[in-house]
Amino acid sequence: MIQQHVLLLDLKDDPASIAAYEEWHRKVWPGILKNIHEAGIEDMQIFRAGNRLVMLMHTNSQFDFTAKSIADANNSLVQEWESLMDRFQQRLPFAAPNEKWVRMQSIFSLKEALNHVQSS
């Protein structure tokens, strides 16, 4: 079963830095793409408004955030990519220590609401 995850992160509020970040994401290293997909991430999209980023992830049933974090910490290519991206990123004010991308909590689903109304 495919699951959807939504995460937030801010970029440093500098037009040149934002442009550089976007340029890097037009040519993500093949090893990073492979790592993302092999972790069980079926699709990933990043959207930007101003310096705020929103990441949408669609994952398969094998995906696990904790396992991905542990694997990434032990992968030198991922660590190199993360260090490079970190130059452009800034943490959200409400992020936990050492937390980059903050997972959002779903609070409304039209599909679920309609199902609830129809079953009532």
Side-chain angles (χ1 to χ4, degrees), residues 3-48:
Q3 294 184 330
Q4 178 174 275
H5 309 277
V6 183
L7 300 94
L8 294 177
L9 174 71
D10 281 351
L11 295 174
K12 293 177 181 170
D13 199 4
D14 170 66
S17 180
I18 291 170
Y21 187 85
E22 288 186 1
E23 181 61 29
W24 277 106
H25 280 80
R26 282 190 277 280
K27 54 182 181 183
V28 175
W29 301 339
I32 296 300
L33 298 174
K34 181 180 179 196
N35 172 273
I36 290 169
H37 190 256
E38 288 179 349
I41 300 170
E42 300 292 329
D43 191 21
M44 175 187 285
Q45 299 174 347
I46 300 175
F47 297 87
R48 181 179 68 79

Side-chain angles (χ1 to χ4, degrees), residues 7-9 69 73 79 82 86 89-103:
L7 300 94
L8 294 177
L9 174 71
S69 293
Q79 290 307 303
E82 289 299 327
D86 200 51
Q89 299 166 334
Q90 62 183 10
R91 306 305 184 262
L92 294 170
F94 49 85
N98 299 318
E99 182 179 34
K100 269 189 173 184
W101 288 94
V102 176
R103 290 170 60 184

Side-chain angles (χ1 to χ4, degrees), residues 39-111:
I41 300 170
E42 300 292 329
D43 191 21
M44 175 187 285
Q45 299 174 347
I46 300 175
F47 297 87
R48 181 179 68 79
N51 70 319
R52 174 75 34 100
L53 300 178
V54 176
M55 178 192 295
L56 300 179
M57 288 176 32
H58 292 100
T59 62
N60 64 30
S61 58
Q62 283 75 46
F63 179 77
D64 178 86
F65 276 103
T66 302
K68 175 88 169 91
S69 293
I70 292 168
D72 287 353
N74 294 304
N75 182 315
S76 60
L77 183 66
V78 171
Q79 290 307 303
E80 184 180 351
W81 177 262
E82 289 299 327
S83 291
L84 178 62
M85 293 305 104
D86 200 51
R87 299 185 332 204
F88 308 107
Q89 299 166 334
Q90 62 183 10
R91 306 305 184 262
L92 294 170
F94 49 85
N98 299 318
E99 182 179 34
K100 269 189 173 184
W101 288 94
V102 176
R103 290 170 60 184
M104 296 186 74
Q105 177 183 346
S106 175
I107 63 166
F108 174 78
S109 164
L110 178 60
K111 182 187 246 182

